[in-house]
Amino acid sequence: MLAKTFGCCRFVYNWALNLKITAYKERKETLGNVYLTNLMKSELKAEHEWLSEVNSQSLQSALRNLDTAYTNFFRNTKAVGFPRFKSRKNKQSFLCPQHCRVDFEKGTITIPKAKDIPAVLHRSFKGAVKTVTVSMTPSGKYFASVQVDTDIQELLALPTQRDTTLGIDLGIKSLAVCSDGRTFDNPKNLQRNLDRLKLLQKLLSRKQKGSANRNKARIRVARLQEHITNCRKDNLHKITHALTHESQVRTICMEDLNVKGMRRNHHLAQAVGDASFGMFLALLEYKCRWYGVNLIKIDRFAPSSKTCGQCGYIYRGLKLSERNWTCPECGTHHDRDFNAACNIKEFGLKALPTERGKVKPVDCPTVDERPRVLKSRGRKKQEKRGGIGISEAAKSLV
Ligand SMILES: [Zn+2]
C-alpha cells in the first residue's frame, strides 16, 4: 500500500510537471494548482483507474508540493533550482494531511487506507496530530514524520553580558573552538568512509544497467551514505546541544560564514561539505531560539585570526599553515583557533546585541585591509572583491 502511494504521488507529480512545462513552451501558459487538481480528478483518474486506490488527499498534496517548488524557484531563480522530475530510485515520500492517528499503547500509526502500521515510536508527544509524512530512503527504510500542534514556551533571552558570552571559531581541523577553552573535534565522517564509498561506487558503476545486482549495489552505496549523514547529524546535535544547555552561556558569538562560497573553492569543497557548517549553523540557530540564547553573528571579514587578543595588534603576515604565532608587539604566544574564538567574542561584545529571536548579522568594527583599488565601486571590481572575500573566509578556516 505504501509503495503504491509513493508510486502514484510520483506519477501525479511528474505528470503535472510535464504538463506545466509543455503548456509554457507551446502556449506561454502558466497552469495553476487548482486547474491541475481539477484536471487530475476529472481526466487523469478516469484514464488510470489505479489512482483511485490510494488516498486522494496525498495526490493533491503532491500537486501542492509542485506548486511550492515553482514558487520557490521564481522567488529566487539563482539560489533555487527548477523543479525536477522525481525518480523511482531517490527518496520517496507522501503526505497525509488528515485523518491520521498515532497509538502509543499499540505502537502503531494509522493513516487513511492503511490501518495500524506497526512503527518504532522513538519519542512521545502531546497535542493534536496534524499531518503525517511517510518517506522511504533509497536504502529501503521507512520513516513517518508526524507534525503536531503544541505550544512550546520559548525561553526568554537575557541581555548580553561579558561573563556569559561565548565566542566560537569554526574550522576544519577542530570543528569548533570555544573562547572558554573547549574544543570539539571534527570527526571527518566522509574522510573516514571515503575509501569504502569509492569502492562501492566503482562496483556499482560496473554492474549492468537494470540488473538485480546493480540494484543491490545501489542499495549498498545508499546505505553507506545514509550512515555518514547520520553520524554527521548525531555529532552536530550533540555539540549544539552542549553549547546551548549551559547555564553559564547566554550569548554565543560566531562568524557569519559564506558556506556556499567556500564550497566553490575546489580544494576546500569536500572538507567544508564534510564538516557541514551550514547544518551546524541551522541547528544552532533554532536551538538558540528555543532555549533563549542570544546569537550574534560577526562580519565574516573581521580579522579574527590575525588580531592579537592581548594588545590588538594585527598580524597581517599570518599564513595558513601557522597554527601558533607570537605577537611581535607584546610577545604573547597564541594558539591560532583559540585566539580567533576570543577575538570573535570581543567583536560580538562590541557589536550591538540583536533582538531576541531575530538572528541576523550585525555590523561590527572591522578593519579593512583589502587593496585600495578594490574599494572603488564598479561592477567588475565588485565581483573581484567577492572573490577575495571568499578566499579570505576560507583561509581563516584552515
Ligand atoms: Zn599582542
Side-chain angles (χ1 to χ4, degrees):
M1 186 68 219
L2 295 177
K4 206 188 269 174
T5 317
F6 286 137
C8 290
C9 285
R10 196 178 61 233
F11 176 80
V12 168
Y13 184 97
N14 288 342
W15 163 80
L17 180 56
N18 180 37
L19 221 60
K20 271 173 100 104
I21 291 173
T22 42
Y24 185 75
K25 261 189 195 158
E26 286 167 9
R27 306 185 295 276
K28 296 272 170 229
E29 242 174 40
T30 312
L31 303 181
N33 191 22
V34 180
Y35 171 79
L36 283 169
T37 310
N38 289 334
L39 195 68
M40 176 190 75
K41 278 181 190 159
S42 57
E43 279 183 28
L44 196 68
K45 275 195 174 172
E47 213 176 301
H48 306 280
E49 276 174 19
W50 38 268
L51 282 177
S52 314
E53 290 171 31
V54 300
N55 182 10
S56 62
Q57 285 184 326
S58 297
L59 299 179
Q60 282 171 36
S61 62
L63 291 180
R64 214 168 303 130
N65 286 346
L66 177 65
D67 200 48
T68 318
Y70 258 82
T71 319
N72 288 344
F73 170 68
F74 284 116
R75 201 179 49 208
N76 189 350
T77 44
K78 273 186 192 136
V80 184
F82 188 76
R84 277 189 289 184
F85 287 102
K86 292 206 183 295
S87 157
R88 187 165 48 88
K89 290 168 189 160
N90 294 338
K91 188 181 173 180
Q92 309 289 313
S93 77
F94 67 84
L95 178 98
C96 303
Q98 262 181 330
H99 311 300
C100 304
R101 250 182 308 116
V102 179
D103 194 329
F104 283 105
E105 269 170 31
K106 280 194 272 180
T108 57
I109 295 178
T110 301
I111 54 172
K113 304 220 176 188
K115 227 180 160 191
D116 292 332
I117 307 165
V120 182
L121 302 169
H122 66 97
R123 77 171 80 164
S124 69
F125 51 77
K126 287 174 198 158
V129 174
K130 296 208 79 175
T131 66
V132 172
T133 307
V134 182
S135 60
M136 186 183 78
T137 61
S139 64
K141 285 181 196 146
Y142 286 86
F143 291 94
S145 99
V146 184
Q147 201 184 58
V148 196
D149 211 359
T150 50
D151 295 318
I152 289 184
Q153 198 70 51
E154 289 184 1
L155 290 167
L156 283 172
L158 297 166
T160 308
Q161 282 172 337
R162 175 169 288 271
D163 44 348
T164 58
T165 300
L166 188 73
I168 304 174
D169 182 47
L170 291 182
I172 287 167
K173 208 149 204 176
S174 338
L175 194 59
V177 178
C178 305
S179 60
D180 60 359
R182 279 182 297 173
T183 49
F184 294 98
D185 285 335
N186 183 358
K188 297 195 176 162
N189 296 307
L190 177 63
Q191 271 305 318
R192 261 195 307 189
N193 292 297
L194 198 59
D195 286 344
R196 191 168 157 69
L197 186 63
K198 275 182 181 165
L199 176 76
L200 289 179
Q201 277 170 337
K202 192 160 85 185
L203 289 177
L204 170 66
S205 72
R206 302 215 168 137
K207 298 282 186 288
Q208 199 170 11
K209 276 196 180 156
S211 69
N213 279 335
R214 190 185 175 93
N215 197 35
K216 275 186 237 162
R218 178 185 65 82
I219 289 172
R220 261 180 227 124
V221 171
R223 212 178 280 155
L224 182 61
Q225 268 162 348
E226 225 173 88
H227 173 73
I228 295 171
T229 324
N230 288 346
C231 291
R232 223 179 249 159
K233 270 191 199 159
D234 176 59
N235 184 45
L236 291 180
H237 271 298
K238 278 176 185 157
I239 295 176
T240 48
H241 182 91
L243 288 173
T244 47
H245 274 73
E246 204 161 335
S247 56
Q248 272 92 43
V249 178
R250 300 317 321 163
T251 305
I252 292 176
C253 306
M254 63 185 311
E255 276 176 299
D256 174 35
L257 294 172
N258 177 5
V259 182
K260 230 177 190 172
M262 286 187 299
R263 292 202 68 166
R264 241 174 266 141
N265 180 332
H266 177 71
H267 300 285
L268 285 172
Q270 197 181 52
V272 170
D274 192 17
S276 42
F277 297 127
M279 206 200 289
F280 183 94
L281 269 174
L283 297 182
L284 192 67
E285 262 175 34
Y286 88 76
K287 283 194 174 124
C288 281
R289 218 165 41 233
W290 281 8
Y291 304 119
V293 178
N294 297 308
L295 184 65
I296 299 178
K297 287 189 189 171
I298 307 303
D299 187 331
R300 59 181 74 135
F301 299 119
S304 53
S305 318
K306 295 173 196 166
T307 310
C308 168
Q310 288 290 321
C311 66
Y313 173 80
I314 294 170
Y315 181 33
R316 279 159 211 275
L318 185 66
K319 286 200 195 86
L320 275 171
S321 50
E322 289 179 79
R323 310 303 311 169
N324 300 291
W325 58 284
T326 310
C327 173
E329 198 73 14
C330 66
T332 321
H333 194 65
H334 291 299
D335 172 77
R336 184 198 178 98
D337 295 330
F338 179 65
N339 179 47
C342 293
N343 284 328
I344 287 171
K345 175 181 168 180
E346 291 305 317
F347 288 142
L349 285 170
K350 270 183 225 159
L352 291 166
T354 45
E355 274 176 60
R356 197 192 123 44
K358 278 183 202 152
V359 202
K360 58 182 177 188
V362 275
D363 295 323
C364 79
T366 54
V367 183
D368 201 334
E369 47 175 328
R370 286 173 289 230
R372 189 150 299 164
V373 200
L374 298 177
K375 276 188 196 162
S376 65
R377 294 214 170 156
R379 197 110 198 260
K380 243 185 190 164
K381 282 167 188 162
Q382 284 273 352
E383 274 167 25
K384 225 174 179 181
R385 179 193 256 185
I388 280 186
I390 286 157
S391 59
E392 194 93 338
K395 265 185 210 163
S396 69
L397 275 169
V398 182

